[in-house]
Amino acid sequence: MRLADALMLLVCLAACQVVLGQEMILFADDHYKALGEPLIAAAPVGPVLQAGQDDLVRIAIDNRGRLDGLISTGVFGQAGEAALERQEEVKAIDALNLVASLKSIPEVEVLTPEVNLSQLSSGEAATIQFAVRPSPSARGSYDLPLEVRYERQIDVKVSAGLVYPLLLPGRSTQTITLEVMPLGKSMRAERVRSSLRPGANGSLDLVIRNLLPSTVRNCSATLASGGPFLVGQSRATLGDLRPGQVALASFQIQTDRGVAPVEYQMACTIDYDGGSAALTFPVTVGSSGSLPANLGWLAVPAVALAAIALLVRRRRSRPAFGGRYR
């Protein structure tokens, strides 16, 4: 390599370091240098807890790291080793030997010290869980720090067909919001119907039954926002409920675009004259291409209409009596 070319390469690498804020470490005979690193994101899957009850908190973590470039250093060598190095360099965006720790706060004690994952490649997701113990007096939303330590490949050397990665430590700090609700048996979530999809506005219908032996007056339902859900109008008026009577509470919900299509736990507070109750219930987020739950009933009529249309078409194409097909 000429001196001018070498100087130009160093200038390009230095510019990339300034733009991307990454360490530029090169072995002497490197053929390629990958630009990119892991990007860890986390969100609670079941953020609703009952006060005074031990429970498990599930957290979905995913690696959103992306490869910003693969630079050729201009060093010439064996074609096989260069190809292998190119293949290994793109692993710079993978997270290795992950250790996740959720920190306790006075209102919520974390019983699981750490959770380990061997690898989280770019584009992959995993679910980890921690045992927690909310205090009996805990009420409302609480933010718990989540720290994820990992190793990442900063460079790789290939020699005689063997791969020698150079690893450096990395760390990601997230905030996990959990909702703690008081125990209550005066109300029950009788039925849940939702049409939630990633990155879209959806609806949630909740049928609530009064379990008390007396009429409760001025009832209202307040749906808690948390995790990947943002509730538009969080309060629904239910009125008076006689013993055993049910009422419908409807809500509009915006779901985060990056949320995984799995089952989540949500919480709702029922307030009435002289008391309140906390309800938790599961909701399922469908995939972005799935039919919303509240439109699923259209599938059967659509099939029936298609069958009728096909039958009518065949009858119209049938020749009159005494005719023949050509």
Side-chain angles (χ1 to χ4, degrees), residues 227-246:
F229 304 114
L230 178 62
V231 182
Q233 182 67 32
S234 61
R235 188 173 182 271
T237 301
L238 306 179
D240 299 340
L241 293 181
R242 298 186 303 274
Q245 185 179 358
V246 298

Side-chain angles (χ1 to χ4, degrees), residues 36-114:
E37 59 183 278
L39 178 61
I40 305 299
V45 177
V48 182
L49 306 173
Q50 298 285 346
Q53 300 288 315
D54 290 3
D55 206 342
L56 290 176
V57 172
R58 293 188 299 155
I59 299 175
I61 65 172
D62 62 288
N63 182 0
R64 302 180 184 180
R66 53 181 295 178
L67 193 66
D68 296 307
L70 186 64
I71 298 176
S72 174
T73 63
V75 175
F76 297 99
Q78 295 184 5
E81 289 192 351
L84 181 57
E85 182 184 331
R86 178 188 177 94
Q87 176 182 334
E88 294 295 324
E89 274 285 350
V90 299
K91 296 180 180 179
I93 53 179
D94 297 340
L96 309 172
N97 304 319
L98 298 91
V99 180
S101 57
L102 188 65
K103 307 300 183 182
S104 296
I105 60 174
E107 297 82 2
V108 181
E109 179 185 2
V110 180
L111 306 177
T112 304
E114 293 179 342

